[in-house]
Amino acid sequence: TEVQKMKVLYEGKTKTVFEAEEGNVLLRFKDDVTGEAGIIDPGANSIIGKMEGKGNASLRLSKHFFELLKKEGIPSHYIDADTDENTMLVKKAVTFGDGLEFICRRKAAGSFVRRYGRYIKEGTPLDYLVEVTLKDDERGDPLVNEDSLRQLGLMTAEEVEYAASLTKKVTKLVEKELERFGLELIDIKFEFGRVDGKIVVIDEISGDNMRVKKDGKGIDQKELCEIVCG
C-alpha cells in the first residue's frame, strides 16, 4: 500500500505516525493493548498483547468523535479517516513539551483511587475534575499543576485555563453522545497541540483514552465501537 512507502516519524504504543503530503501526518492504528499484570487498562504504559480488530475500533471511534467535534465547531487536528487502511489523516500539531494529557474525571477510578484512596472510594462521583499529567512513561506520567507547567515553560496560565475548559467542554460532548447508547463515561483523557498557533484537540478519542461502563460493567474498545459505530 501507499502507506508502506511513507516515512515513519514515530512508533507509539497504539499507533504508527507517518509523514504525509502537504505537511500533514498519517496515523495508523495498531491492535496492541496496554495494561498492567495482564489486565487491560487504557491508562497503563505497558503493552500486554494484541486484540484483533482493536486498531480498527479505535480508528472508527476516533472518526465518530472527531466528526462530532467538527459539527460542534470544536477545533481539532482531524482531516479524514480510512477505515479499510486503519489510518487517520491529521494536521501536524506542535505539542507542549513531549506532550501533556488532560484528564477529566466523572467518577473516581484507576490512578485517582490509588493516589487518594484514603479520602475517596472507587466510583465516587466527581464534578468534571481536571488533572494534567506529563507524557513520560519512564516516570509513570507524573501529575503536574498549573504553577509547574508555567515555570517549566510548557504552557502559560491562559493556555492551561483554555485547555482545561476545552477538556470539560469535549468531555460533556462525549458523555452526552455515550448516554444516547446507555453508556456511562467514568473518565477520559485528551491531548492538545498547536495547529497554526491555535490550541486544538489532537491524538485520538477512543476506548484507548476513556473508561466506559454499560450496566455498571467496564467495556472494551471493540464492544464500545460496536455500540457507538454500529
Side-chain angles (χ1 to χ4, degrees):
T1 64
E2 286 300 306
V3 179
Q4 280 153 343
K5 296 174 194 163
M6 291 179 171
K7 180 185 168 190
V8 175
L9 295 174
Y10 174 71
E11 195 70 61
K13 290 192 289 285
T14 57
K15 293 183 289 298
T16 307
V17 181
F18 298 91
E19 191 170 30
E21 289 174 353
E22 294 172 25
N24 295 321
V25 171
L26 192 75
L27 310 177
R28 175 177 261 178
F29 288 70
K30 303 196 279 195
D31 285 344
D32 294 347
V33 289
T34 57
E36 292 290 334
I39 296 160
I40 293 173
D41 178 1
N45 287 326
S46 311
I47 290 170
I48 57 164
K50 287 186 186 297
M51 183 197 289
E52 199 184 329
K54 182 246 167 192
N56 187 255
S58 299
L59 172 65
R60 285 168 63 205
L61 282 162
S62 290
K63 174 182 160 78
H64 180 89
F65 286 114
F66 275 122
E67 286 178 358
L68 188 64
L69 260 61
K70 196 173 173 180
K71 212 165 72 182
E72 295 294 325
I74 295 169
S76 81
H77 69 161
Y78 176 81
I79 299 172
D80 200 6
D82 183 336
T83 52
D84 294 330
E85 285 281 343
N86 274 8
T87 58
M88 187 162 87
L89 185 67
V90 300
K91 294 172 197 155
K92 194 169 195 171
V94 179
T95 59
F96 297 94
D98 288 333
L100 301 170
E101 289 179 334
F102 278 71
I103 301 152
C104 193
R105 300 186 181 275
R106 296 296 287 121
K107 280 192 171 173
S111 62
F112 193 82
V113 179
R114 287 197 291 278
R115 266 182 277 128
Y116 307 122
R118 181 177 288 223
Y119 304 101
I120 200 158
K121 285 190 176 70
E122 178 93 24
T124 304
L126 297 166
D127 185 19
Y128 299 98
L129 184 146
V130 175
E131 294 184 316
V132 189
T133 64
L134 300 176
K135 279 191 85 173
D136 186 341
D137 289 356
E138 276 173 44
R139 294 173 177 82
D141 298 339
L143 269 179
V144 60
N145 65 18
E146 186 187 314
D147 228 12
S148 302
L149 287 169
R150 211 164 38 78
Q151 297 202 28
L152 291 167
L154 293 172
M155 270 184 147
T156 65
E158 293 74 29
E159 284 171 336
V160 178
E161 194 182 337
Y162 178 75
S165 71
L166 200 51
T167 297
K168 291 183 185 183
K169 190 177 180 178
V170 183
T171 299
K172 286 172 183 175
L173 193 64
V174 171
E175 186 176 41
K176 194 175 162 191
E177 180 68 359
L178 292 172
E179 280 170 359
R180 287 202 310 124
F181 301 96
L183 300 171
E184 181 191 17
L185 181 66
I186 304 300
D187 54 33
I188 186 165
K189 64 183 177 192
F190 297 104
E191 287 183 46
F192 297 98
R194 284 193 195 90
V195 172
D196 302 327
K198 286 197 184 83
I199 294 178
V200 306
V201 184
I202 64 166
D203 196 43
E204 64 182 284
I205 306 174
S206 75
D208 265 341
N209 51 336
M210 62 178 92
R211 278 191 189 91
V212 178
K213 286 188 174 180
K214 184 171 176 66
D215 304 324
K217 286 197 185 87
I219 60 172
D220 68 31
Q221 182 87 281
K222 284 167 78 175
E223 291 173 273
L224 181 60
C225 184
E226 275 165 30
I227 296 166
V228 175
C229 310

